[in-house]
Amino acid sequence: MTIIHNLGFPRMGKQRELKRALESYWAGKASQEELLETGKQLRARHWDIQARAGLDLIPVGDFAWYDQILEWSTLLGVVPARFGQADDAPVSLDTLFRMARGRAPSGTPAAACEMTKWFDTNYHYIVPELAPGQTFRIARDFLFEQVEEAQALGHAVKPVIPGPLTWLWLGKGDAYEGLSDERKLELLQALLPVYEQVLARFQAQGVQWVQIDEPILVLDLPQAWQDAFRRVYQNLNQSGLRVLLATYFDDLRENVALLKDLPVAGVHVDGVRAPAALQAVQAVLGADQVLSAGVISGRNIWRTDLDKAVELLKPLQAVLGERLWIAPSCSLLHVPVDLDGETGLDAELKSWLSFAVQKLDELKLLEGLLNGSLDAQGEQDVRAQRAALQSRRSSSRTRNPAVQARMEKIAQVQRERAPFAQRIQAQREKLNLPAYPTTTIGSFPQTTEIRTARRDWRNGSLSDAAYEKAMQAEIEQVIRFQERIGLDVLVHGEAERNDMVEYFGELLGGFAFTQNGWVQSYGSRCVKPPIIFGDVVRPAPMSVAWSAYAQSLTELPVKGMLTGPVTMLQWSFVRDDQPRADTCRQLALALRDEVSDLEKAGIHVIQIDEPAFREGLPLRKGDWQQYLDWAVDCFRLSTSAVADDTQIHTHMCYSEFNDIMESIAAMDADVITIETSRSNMLLLEAFENFEYPNDIGPGVYDIHSPNVPETGWMVRLMGEAAKRLPAERLWVNPDCGLKTRGWPETEASLLAMVQAARTLRASA
Ligand code: GLN
Ligand code: ZN
C-alpha cells in the first residue's frame, strides 16, 4: 500500500463557474446564498473527482473565495483597522471581499490590501497586513464547515493550511521593514496558540492528517527564521494530529538540515523541480516519518514519464516502504482543470498533455506501477502513456531542422550594437525629436467595437478584408488622435491584440492554444497560457503590416510594438524537453527577424515589451545571475540586428530595479519606459545610483486609475526625475498601456501630459 494524495485542486471549475458566480455576486446580480451554493457544488464536484481517481486523502482548505492566504488571514482575524471589523464578531464574507477588492455588496469601501505574486508562479495572493501588536483569534468557521461538508460526503479528509512561518514571512506592515524582518517572529507567541486551537478543532472533527504548507523552506532564510522552525513545530506537535509539512517549488538545499528531528509526522518535497531533494530529505527523516514525494508536476501540463518516476521512487520505497507517499509536486491550482474539454487540439498533441484531472489518473497509475498492482485497464493505460511519451520524443513537430541549424550557430550571432553615444546621435538626427519627447506604451482603449470585430473575425462572421478594414480604421483614428494632441512618437494602438503573448504565439510555429485551459491568476481573474510544444518559428511577419500601415498615415515616427522573448516564455506553459534558455533563444531569433522586417518596412522606433522579465528570477538569489545572463542575452539577440539609427525601446511595468540594475543596463535598450508615478520618482534612485547610461521614460501617471493627472503635478514629477538624471535623456510617457482605460480619460490625460512636456521644454 502506498498512500496517494493531492495538495490542492483548482477551485475555479471547469467552466470557470466560480468566476461567474463571484462576478455576479459582486455586481449585485446574484445573492450571497447563490454564491455559497456554487462554491459548495464546486467543492463537492472536485472532491468527488479526487475520490474517484482513487486518492487516499483529499485536500480541504484549497478552496478559497478569492485567495487561500486571504482565507487564512481572515480565519486568524487579521483584518486591517480600516475595514471596521469588530474584535469579537466573525469576519464576514463581504469583509473578505472588501480586503481583496476594496468593495463588496455590503460594508463601507476601503483601500484594498496589497496583492503580489505567489513565489515564482503567476498566481497572486493577498498580502497579510500585520498591525503592531497584532492579535489573533479564530474569526471564521468556514474551514471547519468545509471539513464537515467533505466528511458528510464520505471523504477521507486532509485539511491544508498555510504554515505559521510562511504566513508571517509573506506578511507586511508599517511596523516591519520587509519580508525577512525578524521582528515578525515575535508574533509567533500570539499566533501559535491559535494554530493549536485550529488543530484541536480538526482533531475534534476526527481529522488525522493535516497538511501545513511551508514553501519558504525553499528560500534563502535568515538564521532567525531557520531557528524558528524547531520551536514552531514542537508546539504544533502537541495537538496529537499528524502533521505533513509541505514544501514545493524548489530544492530545500541547506534547509534540509532543519528537518532533522523536526517533530512532524511527514514531509512533502517537490521531486519535479528538485529530484535530488527526495533523497536528501529521506536521509534526515526519522524511523517513523513519512516522505511524500511530489513526482507529478503541479506546474506544467506535460504527461508524466511514469517509468522515470518509478525509477526515482524505487530506492526511496526500498528504505521507506509504506512511509513513502506519492502526490503531485504542489497544488494543482497552477494547471487547468480538465483536458477532456479540449476539442481544438489534435489527437497527437493532446496525448502529450495532462491537466489536473489527468494528473490524478497518472498518480493512480504510478502507484500501480510502483507496487506492481496494475489491473488490466491500468496496464493498458500505462502502455498508452508510454506511447504518448514516445510520440512526443520522436515527433517531427517538436523539432524544426531550420531552427535547429540556426541554434547550432547561435554563438556566432551578433549581439553587440555600436556604443550608445554613437547610436543616440544617429537616432537624434534621424528622428529629430524635441527635448522631453512624448510617447505612449502601445495600446489604446480596447473598445467594444474592437473586441466585437476581433470576435466576429475569429468565428468567421467577419471576412478577412472587412476585419482588416476595421482595424485600419482603428489605427487611423488612433494616429489622427495622437497627431492632434501633439505626441512625438506615435503607436498604432494594438487594436488587433487580444493579449500580448497570445497574439504573437498564434502567429508563431511551435505554439498551441487551448479553449478552456484557464488558470487562476488572482481572485476571479484567470489566464489561458499558450503551450510551447515545439521549436519556435516565424513563418511570416506578424506585426509589420499594421505598423507599416500606421506609418503610411503620418510624417511622425511610429513605434513598432513587440512582446519580448522572456515575457513570451514566462507567460506560457513551456516544453520541458530542452532548457528554458534554449526555448527563449528560439523566441528571440523569431523576434529578431520581426525587428529586421519592421526596420525594412520603414519603422525606426521599435519597442520590445518585457513586463515579465523580473518575474523570471529564481527563488534563490544565488541562481539569479545565471537566469539574468540568458534573459539579457535573449533580449539582445532580439534587438541587435538593427542599424544605429533605429531606436530600440523596452518597457517594464514594475518598479523594483535596484537589485537587477546591471542586467537592465546590459539589455542596452536605447530607451526604457518604467512605472514610477506612484512613488514620486523615488524609484529612479536605482537608475541614478547606478548611473544608468541610456534614455529613460519614467511613467508620469498611473494608468491603473481613471483619474486624470494634472499638468502641474506631472511637471513636478519630471522635475524630480531631472534632479536625478540628465534632462536630455528623459522621455515623458504614461506608466503602462492604455487598453483598459476609456477614451475620455485617455484623451484628457494625454493632453495634460503633452502640456507638461511643453512646459518642461519652455523652462529648459
Ligand atoms: N505594449 C503593451 C501595452 O501597451 C504593454 C503592456 C504591458 O506592459 N503589460 O498594452
Ligand atoms: Zn506595462
Side-chain angles (χ1 to χ4, degrees):
M1 238 286 275
T2 304
I3 299 270
I4 61 174
H5 73 115
N6 187 18
L7 279 69
F9 194 83
R11 48 195 166 239
M12 216 32 87
K14 195 173 168 178
Q15 311 293 332
R16 287 180 296 158
E17 291 90 336
L18 185 57
K19 172 193 177 70
R20 276 192 213 106
L22 284 166
E23 290 172 0
S24 310
Y25 174 66
W26 293 337
K29 290 185 202 139
S31 67
Q32 192 171 109
E33 286 67 46
E34 290 171 278
L35 175 63
L36 296 180
E37 186 52 34
T38 302
K40 192 170 171 184
Q41 282 173 12
L42 284 169
R43 289 191 296 276
R45 193 196 301 163
H46 296 157
W47 291 328
D48 186 56
I49 290 172
Q50 297 173 86
R52 278 169 197 274
L55 267 60
D56 299 299
L57 286 171
I58 288 172
V60 174
D62 51 349
F63 180 87
W65 294 112
Y66 199 94
D67 156 48
Q68 73 269 13
I69 295 297
L70 180 59
E71 289 290 339
W72 189 246
S73 304
T74 51
L75 180 147
L76 294 172
V78 179
V79 180
R82 62 184 179 281
F83 297 98
Q85 173 66 40
D87 281 345
D88 47 359
V91 178
S92 70
L93 185 54
D94 275 357
T95 296
L96 179 150
F97 287 141
R98 285 189 298 136
M99 288 171 70
R101 323 175 52 240
R103 63 184 64 208
S106 75
T108 317
C113 296
E114 191 187 329
M115 182 166 74
T116 194
K117 273 164 57 73
W118 177 244
F119 295 82
D120 61 348
T121 72
N122 283 331
Y123 176 78
H124 300 71
Y125 67 94
I126 300 289
V127 176
E129 230 177 280
L130 305 169
Q134 180 71 52
T135 57
F136 306 94
R137 66 190 170 100
I138 295 184
R140 281 177 78 217
D141 286 331
F142 182 48
L143 180 56
F144 309 109
E145 289 161 11
Q146 293 174 75
V147 168
E148 210 175 294
E149 218 175 273
Q151 288 171 330
L153 292 167
H155 299 303
V157 165
K158 177 195 60 181
V160 178
I161 63 175
L165 291 166
T166 291
W167 183 83
L168 276 179
W169 176 273
L170 301 176
K172 291 186 184 165
D174 289 341
Y176 305 102
E177 248 148 39
L179 291 180
S180 60
D181 192 333
E182 290 175 22
R183 287 168 304 164
K184 288 195 284 187
L185 292 170
E186 288 163 19
L187 294 175
L188 280 171
Q189 211 184 343
L191 180 58
L192 289 180
V194 181
Y195 266 82
E196 284 165 32
Q197 289 166 26
V198 169
L199 298 186
R201 290 203 37 188
F202 287 150
Q203 194 164 37
Q205 291 184 295
V207 165
Q208 299 197 336
W209 281 92
V210 59
Q211 176 188 320
I212 304 191
D213 287 0
E214 293 283 14
I216 62 165
L217 277 169
V218 305
L219 304 180
D220 299 312
L221 291 179
Q223 194 62 47
W225 288 82
Q226 294 185 24
D227 295 344
F229 268 87
R230 185 156 318 275
R231 191 151 47 93
V232 164
Y233 284 88
Q234 226 126 36
N235 248 290
L236 298 186
N237 190 38
Q238 316 290 318
S239 72
L241 271 186
R242 279 181 269 183
V243 171
L244 179 71
L245 180 70
T247 77
Y248 34 79
F249 300 151
D250 210 340
D251 201 336
L252 292 88
R253 302 189 197 176
E254 73 283 3
N255 294 333
V256 168
L258 305 178
L259 300 177
K260 193 163 166 34
D261 301 323
L262 196 69
V264 293
V267 178
H268 172 87
V269 176
D270 186 333
V272 174
R273 279 279 175 95
L278 295 172
Q279 278 290 339
V281 169
Q282 182 257 306
V284 301
L285 287 185
D288 41 42
Q289 286 177 307
V290 161
L291 173 67
S292 162
V295 286
I296 302 221
S297 175
R299 295 285 297 273
N300 215 334
I301 43 66
W302 306 106
R303 275 217 198 195
T304 309
D305 185 336
L306 297 177
D307 296 314
K308 219 168 118 193
V310 167
E311 216 174 286
L312 189 64
L313 294 170
K314 272 288 178 199
L316 299 167
Q317 193 185 38
V319 180
L320 296 164
E322 291 194 354
R323 289 189 291 120
L324 176 69
W325 293 12
I326 53 176
S329 59
C330 60
S331 168
L332 299 176
L333 176 68
H334 309 291
V335 293
V337 182
D338 193 354
L339 189 60
D340 246 14
E342 298 300 328
T343 51
L345 297 172
D346 64 86
E348 185 185 32
L349 187 55
K350 206 169 154 181
S351 77
W352 301 348
L353 306 178
S354 168
F355 293 178
V357 167
Q358 289 70 38
K359 283 170 188 288
L360 299 176
D361 294 337
E362 290 186 320
L363 192 59
K364 187 69 191 166
L365 287 182
L366 183 57
E367 180 214 8
L369 202 57
L370 183 65
N371 295 328
S373 60
L374 288 171
D375 58 13
Q377 180 63 48
E379 297 276 3
Q380 196 181 323
D381 292 346
V382 166
R383 275 197 299 275
Q385 180 101 357
R386 285 184 184 132
L389 246 74
Q390 189 48 43
S391 117
R392 186 171 164 221
R393 259 184 231 122
S394 56
S395 171
S396 58
R397 295 169 68 186
T398 65
R399 293 281 167 224
N400 178 305
V403 176
Q404 291 297 316
R406 216 170 159 192
M407 287 293 284
E408 262 161 42
K409 285 184 281 180
I410 199 159
Q412 295 141 41
V413 179
Q414 174 69 255
R415 283 110 152 131
E416 282 303 316
R417 295 186 71 196
F420 175 71
Q422 180 182 326
R423 276 156 28 206
I424 196 73
Q425 191 60 37
Q427 291 161 18
R428 283 196 180 127
E429 275 160 30
K430 177 144 211 157
L431 299 170
N432 199 18
L433 299 171
Y436 293 103
T438 54
T439 191
T440 62
I441 307 304
S443 57
F444 268 87
Q446 293 240 332
T447 57
T448 323
E449 296 83 82
I450 293 177
R451 290 174 202 279
T452 311
R454 270 203 320 257
R455 179 159 25 87
D456 290 349
W457 176 59
R458 269 177 178 267
N459 65 28
S461 61
L462 193 65
S463 71
D464 290 357
Y467 175 70
E468 188 178 328
K469 244 178 109 189
M471 291 298 116
Q472 287 185 341
E474 291 296 338
I475 291 172
E476 173 149 25
Q477 194 208 325
V478 165
I479 293 289
R480 297 294 168 243
F481 167 77
Q482 294 172 90
E483 286 180 334
R484 180 154 47 79
I485 66 166
L487 282 158
D488 301 308
V489 172
L490 313 193
V491 295
H492 77 287
E494 301 182 22
E496 77 285 4
R497 300 182 195 173
N498 39 350
D499 173 278
M500 63 189 290
V501 173
E502 191 170 21
Y503 176 76
F504 290 103
E506 286 184 335
L507 297 170
L508 289 167
F511 275 78
F513 294 85
T514 62
Q515 288 158 309
N516 284 301
W518 297 102
V519 178
Q520 186 176 11
S521 170
Y522 62 86
S524 66
R525 214 188 128 83
C526 301
V527 294
K528 202 152 55 78
I531 297 169
I532 307 180
F533 68 88
D535 288 344
V536 176
V537 273
R538 189 193 70 133
M542 306 181 282
S543 66
V544 177
W546 302 126
S547 292
Y549 177 73
Q551 187 64 81
S552 76
L553 299 172
T554 180
E555 295 297 312
L556 293 169
V558 169
K559 181 162 66 164
M561 304 296 314
L562 302 173
T563 303
V566 179
T567 297
M568 302 261 278
L569 187 82
Q570 207 54 35
W571 291 350
S572 301
F573 285 120
V574 181
R575 61 193 294 184
D576 60 354
D577 56 354
Q578 67 181 22
R580 282 172 77 82
D582 287 355
T583 304
C584 200
R585 289 200 172 96
Q586 293 181 359
L587 286 160
L589 288 175
L591 285 163
R592 183 180 176 92
D593 296 345
E594 182 74 7
V595 167
S596 292
D597 282 345
L598 280 168
E599 188 183 44
K600 275 186 220 134
I603 305 296
H604 300 294
V605 184
I606 301 168
Q607 177 172 313
I608 314 240
D609 291 321
E610 283 289 22
F613 191 85
R614 198 175 203 291
E615 286 178 17
L617 283 174
L619 292 168
R620 296 281 191 142
K621 225 168 184 160
D623 300 338
W624 280 20
Q625 200 52 51
Q626 200 204 355
Y627 160 77
L628 288 167
D629 286 348
W630 64 252
V632 168
D633 184 55
C634 287
F635 185 86
R636 293 177 65 126
L637 258 181
S638 305
T639 51
S640 52
V642 295
D644 290 356
D645 62 3
T646 294
Q647 187 166 69
I648 299 290
H649 289 218
T650 190
H651 165 70
M652 297 183 180
C653 37
Y654 48 79
S655 43
E656 318 94 87
F657 288 95
N658 283 294
D659 44 10
I660 55 166
M661 207 54 223
E662 213 160 309
S663 300
I664 299 295
M667 289 167 77
D668 201 24
D670 297 306
V671 183
I672 181 169
T673 58
I674 56 171
E675 175 203 314
T676 38
S677 58
R678 275 182 276 189
S679 58
N680 293 329
M681 301 283 154
L682 283 176
L683 302 159
L684 284 182
E685 268 170 16
F687 288 80
E688 180 189 20
N689 296 339
F690 183 79
E691 297 185 35
Y692 183 76
N694 303 2
D695 282 14
I696 304 186
V700 284
Y701 77 88
D702 176 10
I703 63 92
H704 303 92
S705 146
N707 299 339
V708 175
E710 281 169 35
T711 296
W713 184 70
M714 290 186 277
V715 170
R716 264 195 311 282
L717 279 183
M718 287 305 295
E720 288 299 312
K723 280 187 205 154
R724 297 187 160 85
L725 299 158
E728 68 274 13
R729 289 209 260 114
L730 291 174
W731 287 63
V732 180
N733 47 262
D735 71 351
C736 197
L738 300 162
K739 71 173 171 217
T740 56
R741 294 267 60 91
W743 266 108
E745 74 257 21
T746 296
E747 172 154 13
S749 300
L750 290 178
L751 259 175
M753 188 187 87
V754 169
Q755 193 49 53
R758 289 187 177 143
T759 308
L760 289 160
R761 284 168 205 156
S763 63

